[in-house]
Amino acid sequence: MIPSILPTYNRAPLSFVRGEGAWLIEEDGRRFLDLGAGIAVNALGHAHPALVQAVTDQASKLWHVSNLYRIPGQQELADRLTEATFADTVFFTNSGTEAMELAVKMVRKYWYEKGEDRSEIVAFTGAFHGRSSAAIAAAGSEKMTKGFGPLLPGFIQVPFGDHDATSAAITDRTAAVIIEPVQGEGGIIPVPDQCLKGLRDLCDQTGALLIFDEVQCGMGRTGRLFAHEWAGVTPDIMMVAKGIGGGFPLGAVLATEAAASGMTAGTHGSTYGGNPLAMAVGNAVMKIVADDDFLAEVNRKAGAFRQKLEGLVAAHPDVFEAVRGQCLMLGLKCKATNTDVVAAAYGETLLTVPAADNVIRLLPPLTITDDEIAEAVTRLDRAAQAVERAKETA
Ligand SMILES: *Cc1c(COP(=O)(O)O)cnc(C)c1O
């Protein structure tokens, strides 16, 4: 018999009833140290006082009005985002997937308005852009697309990191190129700065628009407000979600004036996107994260974390292979099966998240403390020992 919850997830037998900072409290009272943060969503941890305040204040005033009317919080957050980035304009969504949908529509409309037949979108193997028809067609992996055809046409996948294939794929038929500056689901794989620069050049040469998907790597996770800032290049369009809502469903598409030029009144919309509750939280998150001192602290803590993780990997060569990633978007490439390590970490009341390429992801709240980082490494060490013991007895 089918469960009453559609069984698309293999869920761990854990039910959390409360959160405090980097901690999640299980129904049975156990306190889990949360290095998953809702998959990079709870950027400021659980129940951050500023976010609780923002959402309760707004909840007592106004939850929802249609986008048929002006929403002051939306104007405020759009101003914050355009001020802090390359972008001239912002559309608010409820998720990363919805941001993907708009990004695809936006680039196709751009070329339509120019009177050019350019609809091809170049994406990369191992990419993840969501679960909608456009998003799975872009990622192209069989795991996501099998059985869901016919797929939305016009997407081309290039092997991640293959420079020659990339330059061959980007032509004067290309509408846009989409890439995660740090692949998340793909296994925490940063794109080298040189490659992002090279992509920008290829797009400039051919006129193709460049889309950065910063849904997972954005909002301070890599130690800059957005990951692409490290490479010193900017996209034409950027997708944001996850961390920007701090746990409230919120996403956004940021674009230059030129890239957005086709999106006139009536060409796109959202019932909930940019609603007052989401905007209250988004503004509160941005106030904290888009701050040089906050980001400097994130970088400092991450440096110490990484050093400890290098030691952990060296101490457990049969379990771990390497540390990868950037700042607080970290991955441990495993030698043991990654899901076994995640399960062993559950046993040590520590939450991590598996990714492709046999990696476990460490995406703690950006507010994690030095003591909590030390505690996390202690628990990872015990989890690794448990995996080693299991291997010996197997
Ligand atoms: C999570 C994610 C998405 C999809 O976002 P949802 O909010 O789950 O729809 C898109 N792109 C990347 C890089 C992501 O990590």
Side-chain angles (χ1 to χ4, degrees):
M1 203 173 75
I2 193 165
S4 58
I5 296 176
L6 190 71
T8 60
Y9 276 92
N10 278 318
R11 292 168 198 272
L14 296 168
S15 307
F16 298 107
V17 292
R18 210 171 70 247
E20 298 165 358
W23 299 88
L24 276 172
I25 292 93
E26 221 271 345
E27 232 165 23
D28 64 8
R30 281 181 301 162
R31 292 172 61 87
F32 284 71
L33 188 46
D34 184 9
L35 299 193
I39 315 188
V41 166
N42 302 102
L44 298 177
H46 301 281
H48 189 288
L51 303 199
V52 172
Q53 186 79 47
V55 82
T56 33
D57 283 356
Q58 187 60 47
S60 63
K61 284 190 259 177
L62 181 64
W63 290 27
H64 174 82
V65 289
S66 167
N67 277 304
L68 293 170
Y69 312 106
R70 289 181 180 168
I71 297 172
Q74 223 179 83
Q75 186 63 57
E76 189 186 333
L77 187 51
D79 289 346
R80 275 183 209 287
L81 287 166
T82 53
E83 174 114 337
T85 66
F86 70 95
D88 303 311
T89 188
V90 183
F91 184 93
F92 293 105
T93 67
N94 308 288
S95 68
T97 300
E98 286 172 61
M100 173 65 181
E101 289 296 312
L102 172 54
V104 169
K105 284 178 69 175
M106 188 180 279
V107 298
R108 288 188 167 165
K109 189 67 162 27
Y110 171 88
W111 289 109
Y112 173 84
E113 292 297 337
K114 280 196 179 302
E116 289 192 42
D117 180 19
R118 288 175 72 153
S119 60
E120 273 178 25
I121 296 173
V122 172
F124 292 88
T125 53
F128 183 79
H129 302 298
R131 297 287 196 160
S132 65
S133 295
I136 63 173
S141 76
E142 200 190 354
K143 188 175 157 224
M144 274 188 278
T145 58
K146 195 174 178 202
F148 297 117
L151 297 179
L152 190 65
F155 291 89
I156 295 172
Q157 287 82 30
V158 169
F160 189 72
D162 184 335
H163 181 266
D164 293 341
T166 306
S167 31
I170 302 172
T171 68
D172 58 9
R173 290 185 314 280
T174 308
V177 178
I178 180 165
I179 191 165
E180 298 157 80
V182 184
Q183 275 197 351
E185 306 299 311
I188 309 290
I189 311 177
V191 180
D193 291 352
Q194 276 315 107
C195 297
L196 283 187
K197 287 197 182 104
L199 267 185
R200 180 70 269 178
D201 289 344
L202 286 169
C203 287
D204 289 343
Q205 284 156 25
T206 55
L209 298 173
L210 182 58
I211 307 170
F212 286 162
D213 180 347
E214 293 230 15
V215 168
Q216 195 164 146
C217 63
M219 288 308 289
R221 181 118 323 254
T222 69
R224 301 289 285 267
L225 185 57
F226 292 105
H228 69 263
E229 294 171 26
W230 291 109
V233 294
T234 57
D236 301 290
I237 296 171
M238 176 167 69
M239 299 146 54
V240 181
K242 294 200 166 103
I244 193 174
F248 200 94
L250 170 57
V253 174
L254 281 64
T256 63
E257 183 171 9
S261 56
M263 303 306 294
T264 50
T267 56
H268 197 64
S270 172
T271 297
Y272 295 116
N275 69 76
L277 276 175
M279 295 301 100
V281 187
N283 276 303
V285 171
M286 269 295 280
K287 267 190 222 168
I288 294 170
V289 176
D291 174 83
D292 289 341
D293 293 338
F294 179 86
L295 292 172
E297 182 61 6
V298 170
N299 280 297
R300 184 196 62 75
K301 287 183 293 194
F305 194 9
R306 193 175 185 111
Q307 216 164 23
K308 289 190 168 76
L309 290 173
E310 300 284 0
L312 178 84
V313 168
H316 301 283
D318 294 337
V319 180
F320 300 119
E321 201 173 300
V323 187
R324 51 163 80 154
Q326 206 175 359
C327 201
L328 290 182
M329 186 166 186
L330 292 164
L332 290 172
K333 167 83 172 162
C334 295
K335 261 204 199 118
T337 306
N338 62 344
T339 47
D340 290 348
V341 181
V342 171
Y346 289 150
E348 302 299 331
T349 53
L350 179 77
L351 302 178
T352 62
V353 186
D357 202 27
N358 204 35
V359 162
I360 69 170
R361 274 179 281 182
L362 313 177
L363 309 162
L366 306 180
T367 49
I368 192 169
T369 65
D370 293 308
D371 287 350
E372 287 162 345
I373 285 172
E375 181 61 31
V377 176
T378 301
R379 291 181 189 203
L380 274 170
D381 184 66
R382 286 204 296 262
Q385 289 175 36
V387 172
E388 285 160 355
R389 279 196 302 276
K391 263 194 179 171
E392 276 162 26
T393 54

